[in-house]
């Protein structure tokens, strides 16, 4: 498994950051798109590790993710591959004995500058936040600095950590995490 280098910044002004990204020469790689994710577990995949099948609006990915330390930028590891058919892959995972334990939705808008990705993520009941992912920690730190973000305020780990800290909510105990209306609220 390889380390993921990503940092989340809460309480961002989306319009301002979007304008800054344009000024820096970023290109929009994906307009605001609904993502659907199916989380699978079995006796071999559980705890701080999960298998996620995600429909990314035209692309389907299957990563095995593990958070080993949510307090550091390199605390999450991942093995990911793109798969061709969401439904066939779901059927294959079930046939292999994995159980779908959660279904979640979020919206994502993606921008890129070189090897660095900037994602505006909107999850049910949370304000939109910015996730910066790069090939290493220094690229993420530099991208945050270019946007005037304080790296000391960066958050690491997965969205469930944000739900716990911001709302006191354990989304890992919820079989579905959905928006209540079509506007993404």
């Amino acid at each position: 498994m390889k380390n993921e280098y990503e940092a989340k910044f809460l309480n961002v002004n989306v319009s301002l950051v979007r304008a800054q990204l344009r000024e820096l020469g970023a290109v929009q790689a994906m307009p605001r798109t609904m993502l659907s994710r199916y989380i699978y577990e079995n006796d071999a995949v559980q705890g701080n590790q999960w298998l996620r099948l995600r429909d990314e609006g035209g692309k389907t990915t299957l990563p095995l993710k593990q958070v080993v330390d949510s307090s550091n930028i390199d605390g999450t590891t991942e093995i990911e591959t793109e798969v061709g058919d969401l439904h066939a892959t779901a059927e294959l995972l079930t046939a292999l004995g994995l159980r779908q334990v959660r279904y979640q939705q979020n919206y994502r808008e993606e921008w890129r500058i070189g090897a660095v990705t900037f994602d505006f993520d909107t999850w049910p009941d949370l304000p939109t936040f910015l996730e910066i992912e790069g090939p290493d920690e220094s690229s993420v730190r530099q991208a945050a600095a270019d946007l005037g973000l304080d790296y000391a305020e960066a958050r690491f780990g997965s969205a469930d950590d944000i739900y716990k800290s911001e709302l006191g909510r354990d989304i890992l105990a919820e079989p579905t995490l959905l928006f209540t209306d079509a506007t993404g609220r």
Side-chain angles (χ1 to χ4, degrees):
M1 292 178 82
K2 68 175 189 153
N3 284 10
E4 263 189 337
Y5 295 95
E6 58 186 31
K8 295 169 182 58
F9 295 88
L10 309 183
N11 306 315
V12 295
N13 180 322
V14 174
S15 297
L16 174 64
V17 174
R18 194 181 286 128
Q20 290 173 303
L21 287 170
R22 284 187 188 104
E23 288 175 18
L24 292 169
V27 295
Q28 188 179 50
M30 181 172 62
R32 188 172 193 258
T33 302
M34 167 74 78
L35 305 183
S36 299
R37 62 178 47 74
Y38 304 85
I39 309 299
Y40 288 87
E41 294 179 356
N42 69 5
D43 291 341
V45 181
Q46 48 185 317
N48 63 352
Q49 191 177 62
W50 65 96
L51 191 63
R52 177 188 74 209
L53 178 61
R54 183 168 67 188
D55 176 359
E56 300 181 10
K59 174 180 161 185
T60 303
T61 59
L62 180 68
L64 174 66
K65 296 183 72 122
Q66 181 173 18
V67 176
V68 293
D69 182 358
S70 64
S71 66
N72 287 300
I73 191 168
D74 62 353
T76 301
T77 59
E78 173 183 71
I79 302 170
E80 181 176 274
T81 190
E82 189 171 336
V83 296
D85 185 309
L86 176 83
H87 301 291
T89 304
E91 189 175 339
L92 175 68
L93 295 174
T94 301
L96 290 172
L98 285 106
R99 298 175 308 278
Q100 181 191 323
V101 294
R102 286 183 294 288
Y103 172 72
Q104 301 170 331
Q105 297 175 331
N106 78 300
Y107 284 95
R108 173 168 285 175
E109 176 184 331
E110 185 173 291
W111 293 75
R112 290 193 184 154
I113 301 175
V116 178
T117 302
F118 302 83
D119 293 324
F120 293 105
D121 282 344
T122 306
W123 287 75
D125 303 319
L126 287 176
T128 298
F129 58 86
L130 177 68
E131 180 179 276
I132 302 173
E133 182 173 357
D136 51 41
E137 181 177 1
S138 63
S139 65
V140 174
R141 283 180 176 273
Q142 184 61 54
D146 290 346
L147 294 173
L149 299 171
D150 183 354
Y151 192 78
E153 294 179 9
R155 303 284 293 278
F156 311 106
S158 59
D160 64 288
D161 293 323
I162 294 172
Y163 274 93
K164 284 179 192 168
S165 68
E166 301 304 303
L167 302 177
R169 183 172 165 186
D170 181 7
I171 64 167
L172 299 181
E174 299 178 27
T176 59
L177 182 62
L178 310 172
F179 290 96
T180 56
D181 65 32
T183 64
R185 289 185 181 80

